[in-house]
Amino acid sequence: MSPERPFQLTFLPFDGFSNMVLASAVEPLRAACDISGNALFRWQVATLGGQSVRSSSGMQLRADTALEEIERADALVIVAGYGVREQAEPPQVRAAMRTAARRADSLMGLDMGAWIMAASGLLHGRRATVHWYELDAFAETFLQVDVVADSYVVDRDRQSAGSATSAMSLILELIRDRAGDALAHDVSTLFVYDTAEARRADSGALSPRLGRAVRWMLKYIEEPLPLAAVSMHAGVSLRSLDRMFHRELGVSAGEYYRRLRLTQARSLAIETSMPTHEIAARTGFGSAATLARAFKVQFGSTISELRRGTRV
């Protein structure tokens, strides 16, 4: 295959975006051009107003241009992460997104990018996904979106992926569509060592039964299930469940469940102004004091210290 012109992508990162997600999308495009010897893809970074943005790890990214100055793109790629709820709220953001969408042939949301798209009315009646940790909240917030737990989703001119691995898979699909299976395979082998273990899971990360167990844990964050109930839903014995967690994730099932709840508590601490006792209730801890102790051990800081550090 030899496309007549380069496929033009405009990446639109928001503050709090993941460096890993962005790199997992851009680097395969670079590799496809290098390996093929052709300028199959061209890309640029745009932001609202042309301002620099900071990643979730604090790295600053300078924009090539302002979103408002983009005249056309084959794909507008929205990359969002922490802070997405607040970022999607302003009417001017939603208006800018709708205007930009009219100038792009397709929209792609990476990590929490689909949240921005949905809030801007760009996913009505469409299938979409976000980072697996926020999947339930996404479904509850946007009832007009057909939310699915797939690694990535392609619904005509609307595409979405929820993690760095999924973002790379979605970009490899784009490379395959534009330049064929051989090039997509050559690019993938530069970044992914595809073991038999990885191929077992649809997402490339977890085996099916373990993935089912994790989804049940995520569904019951507020009222944690007994591990026996989790193992029953996963279709394995309690002992086998624990062995799966140790083998694939390196921790016990109970420890992993606890980490999920604490990670949700951390997200609520960053994204909302909920008092600690309410966060504790939302994440299955018996009291604010119990949450505070576990939070300090897990993250090395208190919720108050975390909030002071993220609101500067």
Side-chain angles (χ1 to χ4, degrees):
M1 298 184 185
S2 55
E4 294 180 1
R5 62 173 180 80
F7 188 89
Q8 304 279 347
L9 299 98
T10 295
F11 286 90
L12 176 64
F14 283 78
D15 278 326
F17 75 92
S18 164
N19 292 309
M20 185 172 289
V21 169
L22 182 60
S24 294
V26 174
E27 284 299 307
L29 298 174
R30 186 270 309 162
C33 294
D34 289 349
I35 293 172
S36 68
N38 295 310
L40 300 174
F41 302 96
R42 293 191 186 279
W43 55 91
Q44 61 184 340
V45 174
T47 60
L48 296 173
Q51 301 297 313
S52 295
V53 291
R54 286 193 180 275
S55 71
S56 57
S57 57
M59 295 180 68
Q60 190 171 41
L61 178 65
R62 187 178 64 186
D64 296 314
T65 187
L67 179 66
E68 297 79 4
E69 296 177 1
I70 301 297
E71 294 183 0
R72 69 164 304 281
D74 292 309
L76 176 63
V77 186
I78 301 96
V79 190
Y82 287 114
V84 70
R85 291 169 174 80
E86 293 178 358
Q87 292 162 348
E89 280 300 315
Q92 60 268 30
V93 171
R94 301 184 184 198
M97 287 298 305
R98 289 191 290 269
T99 298
R102 289 194 291 270
R103 299 172 180 168
D105 292 339
S106 64
L107 299 182
M108 186 182 297
L110 304 183
D111 196 351
M112 296 299 292
W115 191 293
I116 301 279
M117 292 162 62
S120 303
L122 300 171
L123 283 176
H124 282 35
R126 300 298 192 93
R127 297 169 66 248
T129 193
V130 293
H131 191 281
W132 60 270
Y133 193 77
E134 293 282 8
L135 206 60
D136 287 343
F138 185 54
E140 292 170 3
T141 303
F142 301 106
L143 301 180
Q144 71 278 18
V145 179
D146 181 8
V147 179
V148 295
D150 293 349
S151 175
Y152 64 88
V153 176
V154 176
D155 187 345
R156 292 168 287 166
D157 60 348
R158 299 290 189 268
Q159 300 143 36
S160 50
S163 68
T165 301
S166 302
M168 184 176 292
S169 297
L170 182 54
I171 292 298
L172 287 172
E173 281 297 312
L174 173 61
I175 294 171
R176 184 174 291 108
D177 180 63
R178 298 288 298 174
D181 289 334
L183 182 59
H185 173 74
D186 289 344
V187 170
S188 70
T189 57
L190 288 178
F191 302 101
V192 180
Y193 178 62
D194 190 15
T195 64
E197 298 290 328
R199 288 195 298 270
R200 291 182 306 163
D202 291 340
S203 66
L206 302 178
S207 61
R209 287 181 175 178
L210 184 58
R212 194 153 58 238
V214 170
R215 284 193 292 275
W216 275 99
M217 289 178 174
L218 287 167
K219 189 174 182 179
Y220 291 93
I221 291 287
E222 188 168 341
E223 298 181 2
L225 292 174
L227 291 179
V230 175
S231 66
M232 180 188 69
H233 288 301
V236 297
S237 68
L238 184 56
R239 180 176 295 179
S240 295
L241 179 75
D242 211 47
R243 281 201 298 265
M244 283 194 306
F245 271 92
H246 275 291
R247 182 175 64 249
E248 298 187 41
L249 296 172
V251 295
S252 69
E255 174 63 16
Y256 187 80
Y257 205 171
R258 177 177 166 279
R259 289 184 187 179
L260 283 181
R261 291 158 54 211
L262 285 168
T263 302
Q264 174 69 352
R266 185 177 186 275
S267 179
L268 290 173
I270 293 173
E271 301 275 357
T272 75
S273 57
M274 285 182 189
T276 303
H277 69 84
E278 188 172 346
I279 294 176
R282 292 285 191 97
T283 52
F285 288 91
S287 67
T290 302
L291 170 60
R293 286 193 295 271
F295 196 94
K296 177 73 172 180
V297 170
Q298 182 68 31
F299 300 114
S301 66
T302 66
I303 288 177
S304 295
E305 289 168 344
L306 174 69
R307 283 173 161 167
R308 285 197 296 271
T310 55
R311 291 173 184 172
V312 292

